[in-house]
């Protein structure tokens, strides 16, 4: 298996720093080699994975679909890590904007980095997780195509109005859960709904509007941030958005990361932070 995986990954991630004493899971050998060591989590937890440009931009134009690789440049190291983080999850949580931007994507570990698909599956089996990784999509409006491949076997967390909009259109296996009444569903209610479904390990892949709400509510335990060596630029009133959008944190909410690990592949940095609740400032 090692030979199948390695050729497409130019380098294993090079470990630059790791906080001692982190929980570790013994990764199947090709994964440990490619990640540059072991990885693990205390459970239950909510962890996020994003890629950002050097200047903090995470999306150039959210209304333009298919721009996923513009910021990351699509390097194998980023794709490998994305798959690895998915392999640890009970469920992936995203907002409807992210689904609309990548409507053909499927949020599975193997989809994003196929050479390691078998190893990811082995890790999920080792962790006692089912082979299929469900996707949970948050939508106030319910303005979604319930037939999208990503939604098969997944969940839509929505409002009462959104659930009415989707009524009768959801294929078998897609659960539509009305989490609240108003247009903006409270972040704690979203997480509570997933916990009530039995999901302990929640990976959010954004987008920045949803992430901001989760971070403001103090619900994000860890952030994996890939720093891509590109400058995206921003114009006043332009389309570009950052890692957190639609939510102000400072002053008032101190969400200050503690670096848990730093890895590198080429000029990309792979940073892992814990996000303990800070002081109100
Ligand atoms: N660089 C990265 O790592 C990364 C990661 C993820 C996404 N992205 C990019 O980010 C862009 C999308 O950004 P975004 O911030 O707009 O996406 P988003 O947070 O995924 O989606 C926003 C939408 O999600 C729903 N939503 C979020 N929070 C809600 C709440 N509390 N209650 C009810 N509905 C809620 C709403 O859907 P309705 O409109 O249906 O009500 C809202 O319009 C895309 O270009 C995507 O490719 C980049």
């Amino acid at each position: 298996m090692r030979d199948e995986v390695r050729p497409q990954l130019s380098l294993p991630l090079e470990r630059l720093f790791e906080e001692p004493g982190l929980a570790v899971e013994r990764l199947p050998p090709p994964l440990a080699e490619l990640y540059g060591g072991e990885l693990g989590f205390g459970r239950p937890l909510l962890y996020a994975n994003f890629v950002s440009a050097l200047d903090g931009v995470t999306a150039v134009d959210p209304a333009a679909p298919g721009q996923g690789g513009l910021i990351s440049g699509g390097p194998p190291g980023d794709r490998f890590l994305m798959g690895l983080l998915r392999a640890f999850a009970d469920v992936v949580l995203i907002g409807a904007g992210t689904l609309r931007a990548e409507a053909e994507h499927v949020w599975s570990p193997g989809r994003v980095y196929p050479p390691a698909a078998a190893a990811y599956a082995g890790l999920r089996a080792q962790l006692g997780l089912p082979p299929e990784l469900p996707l949970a999509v948050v939508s106030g409006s319910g303005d979604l195509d319930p037939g999208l491949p990503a939604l098969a076997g997944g969940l839509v967390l929505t409002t009462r109005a959104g659930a009415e909009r989707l009524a009768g259109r959801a294929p078998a296996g897609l659960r539509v859960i009305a989490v609240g009444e108003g247009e903006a569903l409270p972040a704690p209610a979203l997480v509570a709904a997933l916990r009530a479904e039995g999901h302990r390990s929640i990976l959010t892949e954004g987008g920045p509007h949803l992430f901001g709400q989760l971070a403001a509510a103090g619900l994000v335990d860890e952030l994996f941030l890939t720093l891509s060596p590109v400058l995206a630029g921003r114009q006043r009133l332009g389309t570009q958005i950052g890692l957190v959008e639609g939510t102000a944190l400072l002053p008032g909410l101190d969400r200050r990361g503690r670096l848990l690990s730093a890895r590198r592949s080429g000029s990309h940095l792979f940073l892992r932070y814990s996000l303990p609740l800070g002081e109100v400032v």
Side-chain angles (χ1 to χ4, degrees), residues 67-87:
Q67 293 197 340
L70 263 186
I71 298 289
S72 73
D78 184 53
R79 301 179 71 81
F80 162 73
L81 181 58
M82 210 185 301
L84 182 60
L85 294 175
R86 287 179 184 176

Side-chain angles (χ1 to χ4, degrees), residues 99-160:
L99 181 64
R100 289 183 199 116
E102 300 290 337
E104 297 308 316
H105 189 60
V106 172
W107 274 257
S108 72
R111 174 65 176 255
V112 72
Y113 191 65
Y120 295 145
L123 175 59
R124 289 185 68 76
Q126 181 180 313
L127 293 168
L129 296 172
E132 300 302 328
L133 172 58
L135 181 72
V137 179
V138 184
S139 171
S141 67
D143 182 12
L144 296 174
D145 174 358
L148 287 176
L151 287 172
L155 300 142
V156 177
L157 305 178
T158 187
T159 55
R160 187 178 295 273

Side-chain angles (χ1 to χ4, degrees), residues 49-53 57-68 71-72 82 94-102 107 137-144 157-159 182-187 190 205-213 225 241-243 245:
N49 185 26
F50 277 89
V51 59
S52 140
V57 170
T58 57
V60 174
D61 183 359
Q67 293 197 340
I71 298 289
S72 73
M82 210 185 301
I94 61 169
T98 297
L99 181 64
R100 289 183 199 116
E102 300 290 337
W107 274 257
V137 179
V138 184
S139 171
S141 67
D143 182 12
L144 296 174
L157 305 178
T158 187
T159 55
E183 277 181 23
L185 301 164
L190 299 172
E205 291 192 14
H209 283 90
L210 179 60
F211 176 69
Q213 299 165 53
L225 181 66
I241 59 175
L243 178 60
E245 280 295 326

